[in-house]
Amino acid sequence: MDTLQATTLTNGQTTLSEEAIDEFAGRLRGPLITPGDDGYDAARQVWNGMIDKRPALIARCSGTADVIDAVNFARENDLLLAVRGGGHNVAGDAVCDGGLVIDLSEMRGVRVDPSAQTVRAEGGATWGDLDRETQAFGLVTPGGVVSTTGIAGLTLGGGLGWLRCKHGLSCDNLISADVVTADGELLPVSEDENPDLFWGLRGGGGNFGVVTSFEFELHEVGPTVMMCAVMYPAETAPEALPAWRDFMEAAPDEVSSQAYFWAVPDVEAFPAEARGENTFIVAAMHAGPPDEGERVLQPLRELGTPLVDLSGPMPYRAVQTLFDPFFPEGERHYYFKSRDLASLDDEVIDAIIDGAMDRPVPTILIAIWHYGGAMSRVGADETAFGSRDAPYLFSVDATWDDPADSERVIEWSRAFLDYMEPYAEDGMYVNFSGFGEEGDKLVRSAYGPNYERLARLKAEYDPDNLFRLNQNIRPAGGASDERRPEAA
Ligand code: FAD
C-alpha cells in the first residue's frame, strides 16, 4: 500500500502514510478497500446511478469493533466520513469523495425473539432481511415499501411504510440501539439508557453516531394481507383523487395508503395495451385479516374503470417487494423530494393534478402519502421526527434512465415543489430531501420546533460534526456557516 491523498472534514487535503493505512487495515476484521483494489468500483456504487464518488478508503466492517476503529481513524486523521447502511439515500450521503466510508453492508444479521416479540438487526440490514426473519414467526415491524432499503437510514429519518397508521413509523417501534459515537465509544441507547440520544435517534438521522444494531418491537401481521393496487387512467384523477382522500379520512388504522401519478411500466407484468399509459394509482394495504381487508378496501377498487387491477390477498413479504423491480440498484437515476401538505382540499388536488399531468419524463412518480392513525398519535416532541401533524406528504419521486434527462428532470421536480409551496406546511420528510440543496434551512424546516433540541444534542455527542454527510444538524453554539464539503 502506498501513501494516499485524502479529503479532510473541512474539504482540505491530507496525506495518509503507508504505515498508518497498513496499521488500520491490520486492525480490521473486514477488508479495507482502496482505489485500484478489485471490487473498489462496486463498493463505491450506491443506489442512485447518478452518484459517482471516489472515497480514499472503504472500511467494510465486520462488526462493532471495526466500526469503533474506523470512527477513531477518521477522527484522528481529520477525515471526511460517510456511513453506509443500505445505500439508498438519493444524495449519495453513504459515500464521499476522498474520505473514509464506514460500510455496514456486510453487517446484516437479524435475530428474532418470538416470545418477547422483538427483533435485533445489525446496522447494514435491509427491510428484506428483517421481513424474511420476522415473517417466519408471523411478526413484523413497520419498514419501507422497497425491500432493498436499509433499515438504518430509513429508521433514523422516521420510516414510512404500509403499517404507519396501524403501528406507527419505523422509529416509533425502536426499543433500543447500539451507537458508536464520534469519540469511538459504544453507547447503549433506549428509554432507560442515554434517553436523550434515544429521542434524537428517532427521526434525527445519522447525526449522532454509527448505529451498529437496532432493536424493534414486533406485531402480528400476515403472513397474508389484503393489498389494493389499482391503476386508473390518469384522466380519472379529478374524481378519483378526492374520493381516495375522503375514503382515507374515514379509514380504520389498519389501512395505510398512497396515491400516485405514474406511467404503467413497460414490463410483461402489465397488459400490452396499458403499458406506457399515464395513470393514477391507488395503493393501500390492510393490516388485519385478509377477508376483512378485502371488504374494507373494495371502494378503492371502484373509483373508475381500472387500466390494471393487481389487488388481492398476498403474502406480506410480497407486498414488501411489490415495488422492487421499478427501483433497481445503480442503473437508474433518482431524485426524491417532498413537502408536507397543509391539507388535501380540492384546490390542492387541482394543483397536484395540474403539475402531475405535465411530467416531462413518464417515469417521474408523484406520490401523495396519507398520514394519520398511530404515527400521528405520537406527541410532536416525543421523538425527533418533525412532521407528526401534517395530514399528507407530497413527494416528487423522479426516476429516469437517460443521464441526458438529469438536468431537466431535476429542474422540473424543483419547480413542481415550488409550485406546491402555497399549499405546503413548513416541513418535509428528511428521507425524501433531494440533494439537501437548501442545507441548514431545509433541516430546520424539517424538524420545526425539535430543531433546537437536536442541535444541543449534536453539540453534546458530536461537537466537531464528524457525522456531517446527512441531513446535517449543526452543533448548537458551533460555526453557523459550516457547510457540507460537497453537494451532489
Ligand atoms: P444510506 O444511503 O446507506 O444512508 C442514509 C443516511 O443514513 C446517510 O446519511 C448515512 O450516513 C446514514 N446511515 C446509514 N446507516 C447508518 C447507521 N448504521 N448509523 C448511522 N447512520 C447511518 N423511505 C421511507 O420512509 N419509506 C419508503 O418506503 C422509502 N422507499 C424508498 C425507496 C427507494 C427506492 C429509495 C431510493 C428510498 C426510499 N426511502 C423510503 C428513503 C429512505 O428512507 C432513505 O433513502 C434512507 O436514507 C435509506 O436508508 P439506507 O440505510 O438505505 O441509506
Side-chain angles (χ1 to χ4, degrees):
M1 168 65 57
D2 296 330
T3 58
L4 262 180
Q5 278 299 110
T7 304
T8 66
L9 207 52
T10 47
N11 212 16
Q13 289 294 303
T14 186
T15 304
L16 297 171
S17 72
E18 196 178 332
E19 295 73 30
I21 299 166
D22 286 346
E23 204 266 331
F24 177 39
R27 264 185 284 150
L28 299 176
R29 191 154 62 96
L32 183 66
I33 303 166
T34 56
D37 284 352
D38 285 349
Y40 173 76
D41 282 332
R44 69 188 182 85
Q45 184 186 308
V46 288
W47 214 261
N48 189 350
M50 278 187 86
I51 306 297
D52 182 23
K53 296 184 187 172
R54 303 188 66 84
L57 298 164
I58 301 172
R60 184 159 280 166
C61 298
S62 283
T64 300
D66 282 359
V67 174
I68 291 172
D69 276 331
V71 167
N72 288 337
F73 187 81
R75 190 192 60 252
E76 285 159 8
N77 290 283
D78 189 30
L79 294 181
L80 179 63
L81 178 64
V83 180
R84 180 191 182 119
H88 265 240
N89 167 272
V90 298
D93 282 344
V95 282
C96 56
D97 272 323
L100 167 66
V101 175
I102 295 183
D103 176 354
L104 304 181
S105 61
E106 292 296 316
M107 290 175 57
R108 291 170 61 170
V110 180
R111 184 177 185 281
V112 179
D113 183 338
S115 54
Q117 298 211 340
T118 61
V119 60
R120 187 169 274 285
E122 286 184 292
T126 64
W127 287 105
D129 298 333
L130 208 93
D131 291 337
R132 165 76 181 127
E133 296 298 328
T134 60
Q135 274 290 276
F137 305 96
L139 299 169
V140 298
T141 202
V145 305
V146 173
S147 77
T148 47
T149 314
I151 64 165
L154 186 136
T155 301
L156 295 171
L160 296 173
W162 296 118
L163 291 163
R164 62 189 181 279
C165 292
K166 179 68 180 165
H167 294 300
L169 302 172
S170 303
C171 72
D172 298 336
N173 289 271
L174 191 65
I175 300 172
S176 73
D178 291 332
V179 184
V180 177
T181 53
D183 55 7
E185 222 188 307
L186 178 71
L187 292 184
V189 176
S190 68
E191 209 66 80
D192 302 321
E193 295 180 282
N194 301 298
D196 52 346
L197 195 48
F198 185 54
W199 177 86
L201 286 188
R202 289 174 292 160
N207 274 286
F208 304 106
V210 185
V211 181
T212 54
S213 88
F214 295 81
E215 184 190 14
F216 295 99
E217 184 182 355
L218 294 173
H219 311 274
E220 286 172 24
V221 172
T224 302
V225 291
M226 177 64 192
M227 181 70 191
C228 165
V230 191
M231 294 175 151
Y232 295 104
E235 299 70 43
T236 314
E239 293 78 43
L241 182 48
W244 171 77
R245 171 202 60 200
D246 295 346
F247 175 90
M248 284 313 299
E249 284 175 8
D253 284 356
E254 277 71 18
V255 182
S256 295
S257 179
Q258 293 91 257
Y260 299 108
F261 290 85
W262 208 24
V264 179
D266 188 12
V267 295
E268 252 178 50
F270 299 99
E273 64 280 10
R275 291 181 214 157
E277 288 291 312
N278 217 353
T279 175
F280 170 70
I281 304 173
V282 172
M285 196 195 88
H286 184 276
D291 51 348
E292 184 188 319
E294 201 160 351
R295 187 178 45 75
V296 170
L297 297 180
Q298 186 59 29
L300 293 180
R301 302 174 67 184
E302 296 168 357
L303 302 179
T305 308
L307 287 168
V308 184
D309 184 354
L310 302 172
S311 309
M314 58 181 87
Y316 174 77
R317 285 182 60 213
V319 172
Q320 288 292 87
T321 55
L322 213 55
F323 290 162
D324 286 10
F326 312 116
F327 298 96
E329 178 180 8
E331 299 164 19
R332 197 156 264 189
H333 295 50
Y334 299 106
Y335 181 83
F336 295 0
K337 200 161 181 114
S338 64
R339 288 304 307 259
D340 291 345
L341 290 178
S343 85
L344 193 61
D345 65 22
D346 292 347
E347 199 189 344
V348 185
I349 286 179
D350 288 347
I352 293 174
I353 294 174
D354 198 26
M357 298 301 252
D358 189 35
R359 302 186 319 284
V361 169
T363 51
I364 298 176
L365 180 80
I366 305 300
I368 308 154
W369 294 70
H370 168 261
Y371 278 3
M375 69 165 281
S376 300
R377 288 194 289 271
V378 176
D381 58 357
E382 275 183 60
T383 68
F385 184 78
S387 296
R388 298 280 181 189
D389 300 336
Y392 292 89
L393 180 76
F394 170 78
S395 178
V396 178
D397 299 347
T399 71
W400 66 104
D401 294 314
D402 185 350
D405 285 332
S406 299
E407 205 177 312
R408 73 181 175 125
V409 170
I410 293 171
E411 263 176 25
W412 181 88
S413 303
R414 289 175 180 152
F416 194 4
L417 284 148
D418 288 346
Y419 175 65
M420 292 303 295
E421 188 67 31
Y423 314 107
E425 279 188 357
D426 190 21
M428 46 91 64
Y429 179 35
V430 289
N431 279 346
F432 299 152
S433 59
F435 297 152
E437 302 90 325
E438 304 86 344
D440 203 30
K441 184 166 167 268
L442 175 140
V443 183
R444 282 177 184 273
S445 128
Y447 290 112
N450 286 338
Y451 183 85
E452 297 303 330
R453 183 172 170 189
L454 281 163
R456 289 195 299 277
L457 205 59
K458 179 77 173 174
E460 189 180 341
Y461 288 97
D462 186 17
D464 297 323
N465 204 4
L466 180 64
F467 301 106
R468 65 178 59 193
L469 291 181
N470 42 45
Q471 281 73 43
N472 196 229
I473 295 158
R474 306 277 144 70
S480 61
D481 61 346
E482 201 176 329
R483 288 266 162 265
R484 47 194 291 140
E486 52 192 87

